[in-house]
Amino acid sequence: MADAITVSAPVSGTDKTLELTTGVLAPQSQGAVVARIGNTQALVTANGASFTREGIDFFPLTVDVEEKMYAVGKIPGSFFRREGRPADQAVLTCRLIDRPLRPSFGAGYRNETQVVSTILGADQVNPHDVISITGASAALMLSGLPFDGPLGAVRLAYSTDGEWIPHPTYQEIDESTFQLVVAGRSVGDGDDVAIMMVEGNGTEKAWSYYSAGAPKVTEAVIAEGLERCKVWIGEAIALQRELVAEAGVRPALDFEAQLDYDDTVLEAVSAYRDDVLTANTVKDKAERNDATTGLRDRILGDLDADGAPLAGRGKEIRNAIRAVTKKVIRERLVNEGVRMDGRGPRDLRPVTAQVGVIPTAHGTGLFQRGETQVLNVLTLGMPRMDQMLDTLGIETKKRYMHHYNMPPYSNGETGRIGGTKRREVGHGMLAERALLPVVPSLLEWPYALRLVSEVLSSNGSTSMGSVCSSSLSLMDGGVPIKAPVAGIAMGLIKEGDQFITLTDILGAEDAFGDMDFKIAGTEDFITALQLDTKIDGLPADVLAGALDQAREARLAILEVMNATIPAARADVGETAPKMISFEIPIDKIGEVIGPKGKVINAIQAETGADISVDDDGTVGTVAIGSSDRGAVAEAERQIKLILDPPTADVGAVYTGRVVNITKFGAFVNILPGRDGLVHISKLGGGKRIDRVEDVVSLGDELEVRVDDVDPNGKVSLTPADQPVEEAKPKSDRGDRGDRGGRDGGGRDGGRDRDRGPRRESSSSSASSDAAPVAEVVSFEDSFDAEVAAEFGDLGPAGDDRRGGSGPPGGGDRDGGRRRRRR
């Protein structure tokens, strides 16, 4: 085994160390690096094919994240007990790695390339996604592939004190109001860092921290964080350079750059420049697509037909048309300040909003901005409908879920509708995080929430349309969110030293532009953002201007939304479950649930309400839900009676239900939270019975009378159809319930177990003038008399009654009698 080459450096402002190691694991990989911080470590490998697949017209880069459950000492929770499809968090990490890597490869490089991050260890203190980005960059630097790196990455958490914390732990993130993940690379001769990718969102507790006085995350705070992050990105870049210097680099891959077209094709297509400009200034997307498609077919007919000058080169002609289109759109914007649909750089497309679209849904919101239309549907459920998480993080479940779907018809196309794609996971999670800071807590709102965004029409930023429609459907469903949230996508065109920021970009402007910047927030603060750039860095003043311009558009959208529904409805809709929740002492949970769930199941069966009980280790929470408010109220009443049960009155008659059966009697529930015991000796109507089940069954209704309530609250019951017995002094032998509970001492028929059969005392009659002697009732004596009458004398009641087998006092009394009967 080769020797390891390890480099490490402290993380400024923390007690942590970032470490990179190569040379031991995955020796046949072109590049392999173990990135580590704390006890969290990821093996990241990078490999590229030595040839280009014929006919490929895109860069086939694949990024995979393998979250191994052994990394955190867990056996996978799936049926097969092995890792299955990637969890949403793993998909998001794949996208985090891919986004800064993809634009960092050499021009024309189209060899198949794969980056795999295998999480070897997860200490559940330090997240693994950021070190995976740095590890991927380091592995590519060693691989010899045409990678324009190195890249660095850092996560920042904004504390309640207004400080940015680098590489925060899970606990520090939870205690902050906002988090940012930023990736960048060095540019120029100095140590300046160009921001390439940003992902950020407010935390679940952000609103409570803001309410307590924590500084809000505004546009200025975000701009400050993006500037501060350059320090730690620079440290990660410097460490990779040190690793490359010590380990060396594989020989550079000799690849053939793939050209989309040559100068001859571009020159021929450029002759149609004016026609391209005219076709791309049609405002309506469908009409514009018809115009550009017609023009493309005409150009192909002129240049690619049989005998034409460029016959057989149709693919190059199509690529050249795209290049000319991009050029004329950007030039018109820079020179005239006019966009392809006729808007100015700061103009927002028409915005409309509607709620209550689907009457059977718990809440709906329909949002449209230009030709982008998103329908969001809210479903409310019981807390047990939370999503269980089987990941390497510290979260085990979540109650607020957002799912995003974009079918082919949203673009007027055909295509396969199948499983959830990575893009849909990413867009859905972005919208989910944008709303997370304003969703009420479990104690404030006991429901589980699922939002589904259906993209019905797409032309620019459907993810931000999902944010707006989600906010509408939540308020329509009566969810008391803290504030409405809106989102907007910003674009950028850079020509020379000139930067033009675009509000509410179209799909084509996203493809032809240099930046995609999505920002969501309330009127007062930012809740989520996502930034991808295709240029080497974003000047601070340009970034600040883009943030302010986005806020202007966000406020305009919020104005339309507020006019549609100014606040959450006072109550949930008719079709939604009505639910309440309240806390209970943790030691009362068992009483509410009952043995094997009998109590809670009985309440649910009687009321029709749906009840769930949960705890956090210190306090229990009961949630009750039903479409009928009366059922909720009745279930709540019964549970609170269990928590503070009423007292049974001695002599009172109750109609109860048998809730448990033991060998010595039946327990009957006579009041909420109050059970009593009907002893087996009282169930036979004066006759001896062998089994309680011969008389009563679980669930039977039984009218009983309260005989006694002892100081500990234990209730003794008698069937109400039996006569009231006079009070008898308690036996000085103590409670014999553990031996059958018979009056007079269990199965021995009143005999003293040490002294043999009981005999009448010769002095009993002489003492008749003294205190009265309690009457002793023995079912054993009665049973023996019945047997003697039928079978004759069976002998004395000593050891011979057991058939003479075994030692004295041994064997089974009933079994011995059965043998004699044979």
Side-chain angles (χ1 to χ4, degrees), residues 535-730:
I535 55 178
D536 291 340
L538 207 58
D541 59 335
V542 174
L543 177 60
L547 287 166
D548 290 338
Q549 192 169 322
R551 183 174 188 275
E552 178 184 299
R554 189 170 79 244
L555 294 180
I557 295 172
L558 283 171
E559 186 175 346
V560 175
M561 293 169 57
N562 290 335
T564 303
I565 181 167
R569 300 194 189 281
D571 197 2
V572 297
E574 293 182 2
T575 60
K578 282 65 178 177
M579 192 180 304
I580 61 170
S581 69
F582 50 91
E583 293 183 349
I584 63 173
I586 197 166
D587 59 351
K588 290 286 187 179
I589 291 178
E591 295 182 34
V592 172
I593 295 175
K596 298 182 180 179
K598 290 185 176 68
V599 174
I600 195 171
N601 289 338
I603 297 175
Q604 290 184 121
E606 181 180 341
T607 64
D610 198 356
I611 306 172
S612 67
V613 182
D614 200 359
D615 74 273
D616 61 3
T618 58
V619 67
T621 302
V622 175
I624 308 171
S626 173
S627 57
D628 181 3
R629 289 197 179 277
V632 174
E634 175 60 19
E636 179 187 16
R637 184 189 71 83
Q638 293 192 25
I639 291 175
K640 289 188 173 179
L641 285 174
I642 294 174
L643 303 177
D644 185 17
T647 303
D649 297 326
V650 175
V653 175
Y654 298 92
T655 299
R657 188 178 298 276
V658 177
V659 293
N660 194 19
I661 291 178
T662 68
K663 64 180 181 180
F664 54 83
F667 286 92
V668 180
N669 177 246
I670 57 174
L671 293 167
R674 185 68 68 191
D675 296 346
L677 173 65
V678 181
H679 198 273
I680 188 173
S681 62
K682 302 175 182 178
L683 285 171
K687 296 182 180 180
R688 181 186 184 279
I689 62 172
D690 288 326
R691 299 171 63 250
V692 175
E693 293 89 338
D694 294 339
V695 179
V696 296
S697 302
L698 280 177
D700 286 355
E701 281 194 356
L702 195 63
E703 196 171 58
V704 292
R705 181 175 54 251
V706 178
D707 289 341
D708 185 31
V709 180
D710 73 6
N712 294 323
K714 295 181 179 178
V715 181
S716 177
L717 303 173
T718 298
D721 57 1
Q722 294 189 16
V724 179
E725 297 182 5
E726 295 183 3
K728 303 169 185 176
K730 294 183 179 178

Side-chain angles (χ1 to χ4, degrees), residues 489-492 505 510 514-518 530-533:
M490 309 296 293
L492 184 78
I505 57 174
D510 183 9
D514 299 317
M515 177 186 77
D516 181 13
F517 194 5
K518 301 169 183 175
Q530 187 179 93
L531 169 67
D532 294 295
T533 64

Side-chain angles (χ1 to χ4, degrees), residues 242-324:
E242 183 181 346
L243 179 68
V244 169
E246 291 194 26
V249 179
R250 282 178 175 260
L253 177 67
D254 184 17
F255 71 96
E256 182 180 353
Q258 302 297 303
L259 300 178
D260 292 328
Y261 49 83
D262 63 18
D263 292 341
T264 303
V265 175
L266 179 61
E267 183 179 355
V269 172
S270 295
Y272 297 86
R273 183 183 183 283
D274 292 341
D275 296 329
V276 171
L277 178 60
T278 300
N280 282 279
T281 55
V282 178
K283 293 184 178 182
D284 181 77
K285 178 184 177 182
E287 296 177 3
R288 184 168 61 250
N289 287 342
D290 290 341
T292 55
T293 299
L295 176 60
R296 181 202 62 197
D297 293 342
R298 179 160 66 90
I299 295 174
L300 287 171
D302 292 345
L303 302 180
D304 189 32
D306 291 340
L310 300 176
R313 303 179 68 178
K315 186 174 182 180
E316 291 183 70
I317 294 172
R318 289 185 180 88
N319 291 332
I321 292 173
R322 178 179 172 84
V324 172

